[in-house]
Amino acid sequence: MEPCGIGLIVWVLACLSGPSTGYPNGKVQEVCDTMIPLHGYSSQLFPKHIIEVNVTQFRPGDHVKVSLSGPAFEGFFLQARNAKNLKGPAIGSFVLTDKMKSQLLTCGRVKNSAVSHTSKSKKTHIDACWIAPRDAPETVQFLVTVVEKYKTFWVKIPGPVISQLNIPTWTTATFTYESILTSQPISHLTVPFSASDCGSTKFCVRNPTDCDPKTKDCFFLSFKQDQSVMLVEMSGPSEGYIAFALSHDQWMGGGDDAYLCISDDRQVGISTATLTGRCYPTFDAQNALEEMSWRLADGLIQCSFRRKIHLSALQGRFNLDADYYIFLADGEVSEDGTIHKHHRQPLITNRRYNVTGPPEDIGGSRSPFIIKAHGALMFVAWMSTVNIGVIVARFFKPVWSHALWFGEEIWFQVHRVLMMTTVLLTSISFVLPFVYRGGWSQQASFHPYLGCTVMALALIQPLMAAFRPPPQAPRRQIFNWLHWSTGTTARILAVVTMFLGVNLPALNLPDPWDIYTMIGFVAWHVGFDVLLEIHGYCLVCKVEVLEDDRVQILQSLTSAEAQGQTFKKTVLLIYICGNIAFLVTFLTRIGQV
């Protein structure tokens, strides 16, 4: 090779391996100190983006909402530092409000002390919650580096400075569970709760419906009125916390009134809090609860307390003699006292209730009805109607080749009806999540993207079929391949989408049952598909007899076709029965969520 060629290659490799390395995945721990992207370009001078916080003062343990906004950007790197020493290390830790757009990083010895992007997708707004540490300095300033594109970025954009109040930690307005445990005396419960008075003297919420609060799989909440005071009992399986909230709507976070029982495996703290947006609960400095008791046994957290029905003097606490949606949730608590977001959809009552009214014994759902309908319709469409329609068209043309139904061959009419049913069900189901969310969901990972692709392919199929060429036309073969490939792609993507959908928080069918059952269904369908393919191949081999004996050939064909049709009809019947069994199983599970 010529020396100039070798030199050129070395130069290119040197450029590629130099410091101009991008981090589209946001793993930028290498720049924790400088916060300067290793892009090989200079920082811009005049920032376009701003940092906002929801408070100007804080106490150790407080959760401060930090917001970054501005023109569309690809990457960011957010830290909190001592305002008097901005070259010092990161201070405090963060928790996320949107794991799709942001992630936590550890800078130095402080875990989760920085927030960065997860991909280079365009963003205009990011929220995070900063937790003030016990050893926080007097003043803290937030800094952010923003990357608009590879060559355009701003380093250490200064944000607001917040100052620490010189008040002892135990008087803070926002607590971790450690301060909750020591805030008020709490006694021990000696016996588990009972559901025997539910509907007679107690207003109860149970999940599953009619479950026994003594069992390990029962979430239980009861209200019993005693003149102007309400006795509340709450129980459920959890290794962290259980909580309920009262809300004016079915969306958690609009200033809702929350009550938490938080365990550290040795004792339980009970406190009230306000839920605002997707940030962490804001615990109350003044606990409105009385006669608090708890019990940890058999994997259950049980707690009870009394509170006055009217608490107008305490901001954030609702009066209990009004109608509210009731939420019931559980989640984990980390070793440092951080309360994590519930790992599954909370139970939500299907309408507003007044717990001071006539006692009722109700259940609830961890999945909204509209999401259940979405899942159910998709299962009917892509587990049953589409697969039966494809099998009929692919393997049963010879079986019903001369039988007509409304002027068309039976196999074609069955195929067309089932496919149009699939498109109709998919279209109805497709709209439901958008109605529920009021727009696009950023929390559902790849599921909505694949769902949109399946919807598009489902609409293309009937349009393509409407313009199919005549059977003997030269372009008919091209149509056949396009029609088959589009339909097959849609079916494969639909199965992948269902695999992703059954574990989304809004539905969250039981693990690992849902995955194993889906695998069983796929194996069932593929098994019958292969069986019919093998049968067709064997049938062809069977009729390849003596070349010159036309009579024997015709006799063999007639006999083989008769045997083949009986076999195919039997297989189809068995397949439909099994398919319906899988479908009913999933629909039953969806109804029970």
Side-chain angles (χ1 to χ4, degrees), residues 357-379:
E360 296 187 53
D361 187 8
I362 64 173
S365 175
R366 292 189 179 271
S367 177
F369 174 78
I370 197 168
I371 296 299
K372 287 185 176 183
H374 167 75
L377 292 175
M378 285 299 189
F379 272 113

Side-chain angles (χ1 to χ4, degrees), residues 534-548:
I534 294 174
H535 173 263
Y537 174 78
C538 293
L539 190 62
V540 171
C541 294
K542 191 172 183 179
V543 298
E544 290 181 352
V545 292
L546 298 176
E547 294 181 359
D548 297 331

Side-chain angles (χ1 to χ4, degrees), residues 279-317:
C279 205
Y280 266 43
T282 302
F283 290 100
D284 298 318
Q286 184 180 0
N287 202 333
L289 310 181
E290 303 171 349
E291 299 183 28
M292 296 181 288
S293 302
W294 62 270
R295 180 175 182 264
L296 288 174
D298 303 322
L300 294 174
I301 299 177
Q302 295 180 319
C303 61
S304 68
F305 56 85
R306 293 178 181 269
R307 63 146 283 186
K308 295 179 180 178
I309 294 176
H310 294 92
L311 289 171
S312 56
L314 290 174
Q315 184 178 3
R317 304 281 68 77

Side-chain angles (χ1 to χ4, degrees), residues 10-182:
V10 172
W11 179 80
V12 171
L13 291 177
C15 290
L16 293 176
S17 60
S20 57
T21 303
Y23 293 89
N25 62 1
K27 303 293 185 180
V28 293
Q29 289 94 330
E30 294 182 17
V31 297
C32 277
D33 294 333
T34 65
M35 299 184 70
I36 300 175
L38 301 179
H39 292 185
Y41 296 93
S42 299
S43 172
Q44 304 297 308
L45 296 178
F46 303 104
K48 301 177 182 179
H49 305 81
I50 59 172
I51 305 174
E52 296 177 309
V53 294
N54 64 335
V55 296
T56 58
Q57 295 179 314
F58 70 93
R59 299 180 179 91
D62 278 2
H63 290 68
V64 179
K65 183 178 180 181
V66 185
S67 301
L68 169 65
S69 60
F73 54 94
E74 295 181 354
F76 70 96
F77 187 47
L78 174 66
Q79 288 184 358
R81 295 191 178 186
N82 187 337
K84 297 180 180 179
N85 181 22
L86 293 179
K87 294 184 179 180
I91 293 172
S93 59
F94 287 89
V95 291
L96 303 177
T97 60
D98 188 347
K99 294 182 180 180
M100 293 295 297
K101 294 181 179 180
S102 56
Q103 63 183 325
L104 298 173
L105 300 179
T106 297
C107 286
R109 297 181 180 179
V110 183
K111 186 177 181 181
N112 302 334
S113 55
V115 185
S116 72
H117 54 282
T118 56
S119 70
K120 61 184 298 183
S121 62
K122 296 292 185 180
K123 299 164 274 287
T124 59
H125 187 91
I126 292 292
D127 287 329
C129 284
W130 179 72
I131 305 175
R134 295 179 180 178
D135 57 349
E138 293 181 0
T139 55
V140 171
Q141 185 169 20
F142 295 95
L143 303 175
V144 67
T145 292
V146 177
V147 178
E148 186 177 88
K149 53 186 178 181
Y150 190 79
K151 297 181 181 180
T152 307
F153 55 86
W154 295 264
V155 175
K156 290 186 178 180
I157 300 174
V161 176
I162 57 176
S163 57
Q164 182 177 180
L165 289 172
N166 294 319
I167 298 177
T169 304
W170 60 269
T171 61
T172 59
T174 305
F175 296 92
T176 61
Y177 80 91
E178 292 177 350
S179 58
I180 295 170
L181 292 173
T182 58

Side-chain angles (χ1 to χ4, degrees), residues 224-295:
K224 185 175 182 179
Q225 186 174 354
D226 182 10
Q227 297 181 353
S228 62
V229 176
M230 185 70 71
L231 170 64
V232 180
E233 298 174 332
M234 180 164 50
S235 172
S238 177
E239 297 180 355
Y241 69 89
I242 55 175
F244 79 90
L246 305 176
S247 177
H248 296 290
D249 53 39
Q250 290 186 301
W251 291 97
M252 184 176 289
D256 301 332
D257 183 10
Y259 302 79
L260 297 91
C261 298
I262 307 167
S263 167
D264 67 348
D265 294 329
R266 300 181 303 276
Q267 55 185 331
V268 175
I270 306 173
S271 186
T272 56
T274 301
L275 306 178
T276 305
R278 291 184 176 271
C279 205
Y280 266 43
T282 302
F283 290 100
D284 298 318
Q286 184 180 0
N287 202 333
L289 310 181
E290 303 171 349
E291 299 183 28
M292 296 181 288
S293 302
W294 62 270
R295 180 175 182 264

Side-chain angles (χ1 to χ4, degrees), residues 100-101 278 430 433-453:
M100 293 295 297
K101 294 181 179 180
R278 291 184 176 271
F430 178 79
F434 292 97
V435 174
Y436 172 69
R437 290 287 182 184
W440 185 264
S441 172
Q442 299 292 342
Q443 308 294 322
S445 187
F446 295 104
H447 180 78
Y449 297 98
L450 293 176
C452 289
T453 305

